[in-house]
Amino acid sequence: MTHSEAAGLIQCEQCREATRNMAVKLLSRTMIGFLLVALYCLPVGAEPFSAMKALQQQKGASFSAAIVDLQTRQVLAENSADRSLIPASVTKLFTAGLALETWGPDHRFETRLLGSSPLRNGSVENLVLLGGGDPALTDEDFWKMARALSRKGLRRIEGDLVVNASRFGLVACNVQDRCEARQASRNAYDAPLSSAGSNYASWSITVEHQDGTVRTRLYPFDLPEVELKGHVASERGGYLAARRATLSGGRDVIELSGSLAPGRDGRMLYRSAGNPDLQTGLLFQAFLEEQGISIQGTVRVTHEPPPKSAVQLVRHSGDRLDSSLAGMMRYSNNYMSDVLLLNLDVDKGGRPPLSVAEAAQRLQVYAGHLAESSGTLFPDSFSGIRLFDGSGLDTDNRLSAGALIAVLDHYYRQKPGLFPAFLSSLTVPDHTAGSSLKKRDPDWLRRLAVKTGGLSEPVTVTSLAGYLRFRDGGWGAFAFLVNGAPGQPIPRAEIFEAMRQDLAPYWEGTANQSQ
């Protein structure tokens, strides 16, 4: 019994009592009066997903949705839960789930620093940074590794700093945005993939006021190999824009334009790098020099395995997997999720050069295992699944609300040891600055832990899936996938508001609905 139906029954009990009292006092009233009472007794709001259906009727949107009580395993509401649509970034729920089941929350990816010769008299011939596929390798890791080398006594690299990306090999671009990003980009979501990439394969540019003008610089170091061009004015009413172009030889040029209002705090812009391996080398070189370690040669990149004669100097462990997943999901980081997917492929025996689409077959197999689960609430929801990446950037992906519910239910019911890590990777709207889910509804803000998704091409895609807490303390799960009609974009805020309205009747939980 749904909440709306239960509410209707409660109202009807009240109506019947009112009817009995009226019958004693008003026997002479006409049948019209009784008809009005009967009409009042009809369940109010009995139709589930009425807001989404109105959006569907007004703007031609297609949607798949489901709400379930995870404790009673009762389906509270569903609409085309088996229908597969473009999912966007809720695809990351599958990637995060398989990563946790494969490695566990404590897993750490390793980056190794090798010398092509032993460390003697403070120097090595070549220094090799062997990428271990760490999706969250950042400047902090570079500082730690450079510091570790300094403490070992390294002062001079006689030859080159070699960035070795052999774990994945040269990863071909899998979608048009990533292919185009090799030459130019105005975004960060399209960053190319590498087992030796860092900072999510994106440059960071600070824009801030200084001495009455606007200053722009690369963060954390100005690098001579990366050129910042253009001009940002100090005036109101403008916007900030940045376009990165990669020249022959791998040099990146970033052109900035727009304005920053006087008195406004500085901004940080992120743009994907054209060559993530070279970016890693240039940044690490700067950290080495900061520690007083000089490089006589150049930064170069290789995709060939290091020679067996190489000597390990430093073995660096990155963040725990559960911490990386929290960042990946909160910021919906496509680079991190697809690097994780490629790591999963290596773990299962994949050989370089790797392909994102081939690696995604690991997710397809994972989905198959979920479909075979005896407790799957929507067994037909897996028939139309198609997964070609781990991020949701590929618009050929297809998922259904029922399949997303299966992942959520699987972790809640069958993986109690992993459930806390999976749950903590999701976003509580009230705890996330700048969240697109910000509403004044306290239930919406505080009773959800979710993953969002969104695309603007080839149609509007807005998705939302995660857990909800009922007022009685019980757990529920829900999923919405909304695809707009071609040529009819729908604002995300409008879709999220329809989702909020359709979730609102279910906060009470099935315990109260069955009264």
Side-chain angles (χ1 to χ4, degrees), residues 432-508:
T432 306
S435 171
S436 56
L437 298 176
K438 288 290 187 184
K439 303 286 181 182
R440 293 184 178 179
D441 182 343
D443 289 319
W444 175 262
L445 288 175
R446 297 164 193 162
R447 293 185 179 275
L448 303 184
V450 300
K451 179 71 194 81
T452 62
L455 291 169
S456 58
E457 298 291 342
V459 296
T460 297
V461 178
T462 301
S463 48
L464 185 72
Y467 296 103
L468 62 90
R469 296 302 301 272
F470 300 125
R471 295 191 205 281
D472 62 7
W475 287 85
F478 67 93
F480 290 86
L481 293 169
V482 182
N483 286 189
Q488 297 186 55
I490 310 172
R492 295 189 79 195
E494 189 173 339
I495 297 175
F496 283 140
E497 175 57 21
M499 293 176 182
R500 187 193 67 80
Q501 291 179 27
D502 286 337
L503 275 175
Y506 300 94
W507 295 126
E508 297 297 339

Side-chain angles (χ1 to χ4, degrees), residues 186-476:
R186 297 181 183 272
N187 307 289
Y189 73 83
D190 52 8
L193 307 174
S194 169
S195 60
S198 61
N199 290 336
Y200 322 111
S202 294
W203 296 113
S204 303
I205 307 108
T206 62
V207 182
E208 57 190 358
H209 286 282
Q210 191 174 73
D211 299 328
T213 61
V214 178
R215 183 189 176 194
T216 62
R217 67 182 183 89
L218 209 60
Y219 180 87
F221 300 108
D222 284 320
L223 302 175
E225 297 85 357
V226 181
E227 181 183 1
L228 294 185
K229 296 175 59 177
H231 173 70
V232 175
S234 177
E235 59 185 36
R236 298 187 181 277
Y239 64 96
L240 285 174
R243 179 182 184 274
R244 187 267 306 157
T246 300
L247 308 180
S248 59
R251 182 184 178 194
D252 280 352
V253 177
I254 302 171
E255 185 165 4
L256 297 117
S257 60
S259 64
L260 184 68
R264 180 170 178 175
D265 292 339
R267 294 271 307 277
M268 186 80 83
L269 301 178
Y270 304 95
R271 294 297 179 265
S272 59
N275 186 330
D277 302 318
L278 180 60
Q279 177 198 27
T280 289
L282 294 175
L283 285 170
F284 189 45
Q285 179 184 35
F287 279 95
L288 290 171
E289 291 173 347
E290 186 184 50
Q291 292 295 322
I293 301 171
S294 63
I295 302 173
Q296 301 305 299
T298 62
V299 174
R300 59 184 174 91
V301 175
T302 181
H303 296 93
E304 298 297 323
K308 294 181 179 180
S309 60
V311 179
Q312 181 168 290
L313 302 176
V314 171
R315 189 170 190 164
H316 174 75
S317 295
D319 286 345
R320 287 166 45 111
L321 178 62
D322 54 1
S323 177
S324 295
L325 289 179
M328 178 189 89
M329 300 290 264
R330 177 176 180 178
Y331 298 106
S332 204
N333 193 298
N334 296 322
Y335 172 85
M336 295 180 73
S337 53
D338 283 329
V339 165
L340 275 178
L341 178 66
L342 294 170
N343 277 306
L344 287 165
D345 196 28
V346 172
D347 188 82
K348 301 297 183 181
R351 299 293 183 87
L354 300 185
S355 157
V356 172
E358 290 179 5
Q361 293 306 303
R362 310 295 179 186
L363 291 182
Q364 199 81 33
V365 171
Y366 177 57
H369 291 160
L370 291 174
E372 293 168 3
S373 170
S374 59
T376 300
L377 290 165
F378 303 97
D380 295 332
S381 62
F382 288 86
S383 59
I385 279 185
R386 301 290 183 271
L387 293 171
F388 297 99
D389 68 8
S391 62
L393 194 57
D394 195 317
T395 57
D396 287 332
N397 287 346
R398 294 294 183 273
L399 282 174
S400 63
L404 292 166
I405 292 288
V407 177
L408 298 164
D409 178 55
H410 173 73
Y411 263 86
Y412 175 81
R413 188 168 52 92
Q414 296 185 359
K415 298 293 177 181
L418 296 176
F419 178 66
F422 187 73
L423 174 65
S424 66
S425 74
L426 303 178
T427 295
V428 177
D430 199 35
H431 299 166
T432 306
S435 171
S436 56
L437 298 176
K438 288 290 187 184
K439 303 286 181 182
R440 293 184 178 179
D441 182 343
D443 289 319
W444 175 262
L445 288 175
R446 297 164 193 162
R447 293 185 179 275
L448 303 184
V450 300
K451 179 71 194 81
T452 62
L455 291 169
S456 58
E457 298 291 342
V459 296
T460 297
V461 178
T462 301
S463 48
L464 185 72
Y467 296 103
L468 62 90
R469 296 302 301 272
F470 300 125
R471 295 191 205 281
D472 62 7
W475 287 85

Side-chain angles (χ1 to χ4, degrees), residues 147-164:
R147 182 102 173 136
L149 287 171
S150 177
R151 287 177 174 175
K152 282 184 173 289
L154 180 63
R155 293 291 177 264
R156 181 182 176 94
I157 300 168
E158 301 291 347
D160 298 333
L161 172 59
V162 182
V163 178
N164 188 299

